[in-house]
Amino acid sequence: MAYVALVKIKLPFFSVRNPESFQVGSSLPIPPPSALMGSLAYALAIKKRLSPDEALTKVRDYVALARATLVSEAPAIPNPILLWRYRILDKKREVLKLIRTEKHSYIDIKSALERKYKDALYREYLFIHNISAVYVLKKDKVLSRDVFYLISRLGDTESTCSVTDVQMLTYREIQMKSVETKYPLIFNEEFIDDIKGDYMIIKMTDESRAMKAYVIPIRRRFIETKRGVKAVIYEPSKVSVNLRKYVRVYVFNNNYVVDVPI
């Protein structure tokens, strides 16, 4: 049997830094496959008492594809936040030398830490209601539902979350040249002939942390509040993709996850 884990994740906000952003912490609109794999690896490490490397190796051995999509209860709203960061680990030797110097009082050390080893960063967060994550398990590989319920973070260290529902569903693996999907797929011009619908093309890290361009079915639009304030929102979308060659597609409950080779 072949299974897919459909995981509903509830979170107040998340942030995964866009790998192509420069000097600002703009976020991807959805968690990339690498973040989904890392979150599951953490959950498996807790469940099985594994080291991080052991857990990640096992997850990559079990999971063929990991994809996320927004859920339509409410739009995702990006907002910048100013973060204060202490760079103590970056300057570990200097900080230890400062602390061990007898002539420095507590006030001296505290002032030095705040002046020399603290900086600010504008980081973008997406305030959101729910995300749906799909883990396509390889044939004859099974992970128990309770492992997915242990997922507790999706993105950076502040992006805590909770899993509200996990469904283990069987899937069919078929070959298709025309497909409609709400899940991201790799953008490869050799395979893709035409795309219709609202989408963004963004580079993200895949299940093995390799950088690839993805077609992300998301509608980005501006809204205006009653007070006249304009804001950007992201909404879930679907795309119809025509391909030049047959590709592997995983089908479950009338959902399609497209595996475009690179």
Side-chain angles (χ1 to χ4, degrees):
M1 298 289 288
Y3 291 92
V4 58
L6 182 60
V7 184
K8 192 171 185 179
I9 300 172
K10 185 177 182 63
L11 66 176
F13 53 77
F14 82 92
S15 179
V16 180
R17 189 175 186 273
N18 189 326
E20 292 193 302
S21 64
F22 179 65
Q23 294 187 337
V24 292
S26 61
S27 176
L28 295 169
I30 60 170
S34 60
L36 298 175
M37 298 288 281
S39 296
L40 182 58
Y42 176 83
L44 188 63
I46 296 297
K47 176 70 175 177
K48 300 291 186 180
R49 297 184 180 181
L50 303 174
S51 70
D53 289 340
E54 289 175 329
L56 188 57
T57 298
K58 281 187 174 294
V59 166
R60 287 175 176 169
D61 183 50
Y62 274 69
V63 178
L65 286 179
R67 298 287 187 267
T69 182
L70 301 180
V71 180
S72 59
E73 283 98 335
I77 304 173
N79 275 295
I81 293 178
L82 181 62
L83 298 178
W84 284 106
R85 304 182 301 173
Y86 284 94
R87 308 306 296 267
I88 294 174
L89 293 179
D90 296 349
K91 306 290 184 179
K92 182 178 178 180
R93 291 184 179 179
E94 294 180 26
V95 174
L96 289 175
K97 184 178 179 181
L98 176 69
I99 294 173
R100 290 167 179 168
T101 303
E102 294 182 0
K103 65 179 182 180
H104 290 142
S105 67
Y106 167 78
I107 299 299
D108 293 334
I109 294 172
K110 184 175 183 295
S111 299
L113 289 175
E114 291 184 348
R115 288 197 318 271
K116 295 180 62 177
Y117 305 110
K118 188 171 77 170
D119 63 6
L121 171 70
Y122 273 107
R123 188 69 183 259
E124 185 180 57
Y125 282 82
L126 270 76
F127 292 81
I128 196 168
H129 189 267
N130 281 320
I131 284 177
S132 177
V134 170
Y135 293 89
V136 180
L137 303 182
K138 297 176 183 178
K139 290 182 178 179
D140 301 323
K141 298 285 187 178
V142 180
L143 284 172
S144 61
R145 292 173 72 245
D146 57 346
V147 173
F148 295 95
Y149 276 108
L150 292 174
I151 292 174
S152 59
R153 183 175 288 111
L154 195 61
D156 68 4
T157 52
E158 290 83 17
S159 301
T160 56
C161 66
S162 59
V163 174
T164 59
D165 186 57
V166 179
Q167 298 180 56
M168 301 300 295
L169 308 169
T170 58
Y171 69 79
R172 293 181 297 120
E173 183 181 317
I174 60 177
Q175 298 287 321
M176 299 180 69
K177 286 184 69 176
S178 180
V179 62
E180 184 181 68
T181 183
K182 61 182 180 181
Y183 294 102
L185 63 144
I186 293 172
F187 179 72
N188 185 345
E189 292 180 330
E190 180 184 346
F191 285 83
I192 296 176
D193 183 43
D194 182 48
I195 308 173
K196 293 180 180 178
D198 294 310
Y199 63 92
M200 303 168 69
I201 297 180
I202 299 178
K203 285 189 176 180
M204 302 192 299
T205 45
D206 69 1
E207 290 81 1
S208 300
R209 295 193 62 80
M211 188 76 70
K212 296 176 183 176
Y214 281 83
V215 177
I216 304 178
I218 278 182
R219 182 182 301 109
R220 182 179 184 269
R221 66 184 182 93
F222 290 90
I223 61 170
E224 187 171 343
T225 66
K226 292 181 179 180
R227 295 182 178 181
V229 178
K230 294 183 178 179
V232 176
I233 65 170
Y234 296 118
E235 295 175 324
S237 177
K238 284 187 177 183
V239 293
S240 296
V241 184
N242 293 319
L243 300 127
R244 297 187 178 95
K245 304 177 183 179
Y246 283 97
V247 300
R248 182 166 44 205
V249 178
Y250 303 102
V251 184
F252 62 97
N253 280 15
N254 294 320
N255 291 297
Y256 299 84
V257 179
V258 186
D259 185 12
V260 178
I262 189 69

